[in-house]
Amino acid sequence: MENLIIDDDTGKWDLIWLAGVRDDQPATIFDKIVAGEIPCSKVLETEDVYAFKDINPCAPTHVLVIPKKRDGLDKIRSASQEHVEILGKLLLAAGEIVRDKNLGFKDGGRIVINDGPDGGQEVPHLHMHVLGGRSLTWPPG
Ligand code: AMP
């Protein structure tokens, strides 16, 4: 992506690096979940954040937390200054989820972001795995 600096007198674009860059990648399975086109077991929804149970859980409790609008966040490596607010909201949501004993969390959990092929990322829409319900081992495989 190129470094766009647009000044159209509205002040909307400001001089923020990459501000205004549109996400023209195809919709992901997670976009379809947010749109209600694919069913899920929803755990939390705010204006910007969506969380649902992973269909193939890797721990007794496994929740995915995603930005409702991908907005260029296909992976954490793609994040820039314009994403600071949504990244904070995702982390806050993850913390709220880990506190929820009704979901099966006991005393904490683990928040994981897989990035790209080396990280084992399959869905190109930023997501945090929130895992818990038992004592998790370290290091991961
Ligand atoms: P990653 O490998 O980090 O990209 O993680 C993608 C995750 O999405 C995997 O843990 C999958 O089990 C999960 N997943 C894929 N499709 C669905 C779905 N329809 N509902 C819930 N979780 C899903």
Side-chain angles (χ1 to χ4, degrees):
M1 281 196 277
E2 54 190 59
N3 187 353
L4 287 185
I5 296 179
I6 301 170
D7 185 359
D8 66 353
D9 290 340
T10 64
K12 182 180 170 191
W13 301 103
D14 211 341
L15 296 181
I16 300 169
W17 187 63
L18 292 178
V21 171
R22 294 289 173 254
D23 186 338
D24 56 5
Q25 297 303 304
T28 65
I29 191 165
F30 293 168
D31 286 308
K32 292 175 185 170
I33 285 175
V34 172
E37 293 165 16
I38 293 177
C40 76
S41 182
K42 185 167 81 173
V43 163
L44 172 151
E45 180 174 8
T46 69
E47 192 183 342
D48 318 286
V49 174
Y50 205 84
F52 51 97
K53 291 186 182 170
D54 196 294
I55 204 168
N56 185 21
C58 298
T61 305
H62 186 169
V63 175
L64 299 174
V65 184
I66 66 171
K68 280 181 163 177
K69 284 190 193 157
R70 186 177 48 183
D71 202 16
L73 282 175
D74 58 334
K75 53 189 177 297
I76 193 66
R77 256 185 298 169
S78 304
S80 63
Q81 275 299 320
E82 66 175 305
H83 298 117
V84 164
E85 189 176 348
I86 184 64
L87 291 173
K89 288 179 178 181
L90 290 167
L91 277 171
L92 283 175
E96 188 180 330
I97 288 165
V98 171
R99 279 198 298 273
D100 190 343
K101 299 226 172 358
N102 291 327
L103 288 171
F105 290 98
K106 292 179 177 166
D107 191 2
R110 182 171 298 159
I111 297 163
V112 173
I113 300 176
N114 295 328
D115 186 307
D118 283 359
Q121 183 182 5
E122 289 176 357
V123 181
H125 184 139
L126 178 67
H127 50 284
M128 295 178 180
H129 296 260
V130 186
L131 303 144
R134 68 170 162 82
S135 183
L136 299 164
T137 57
W138 189 264

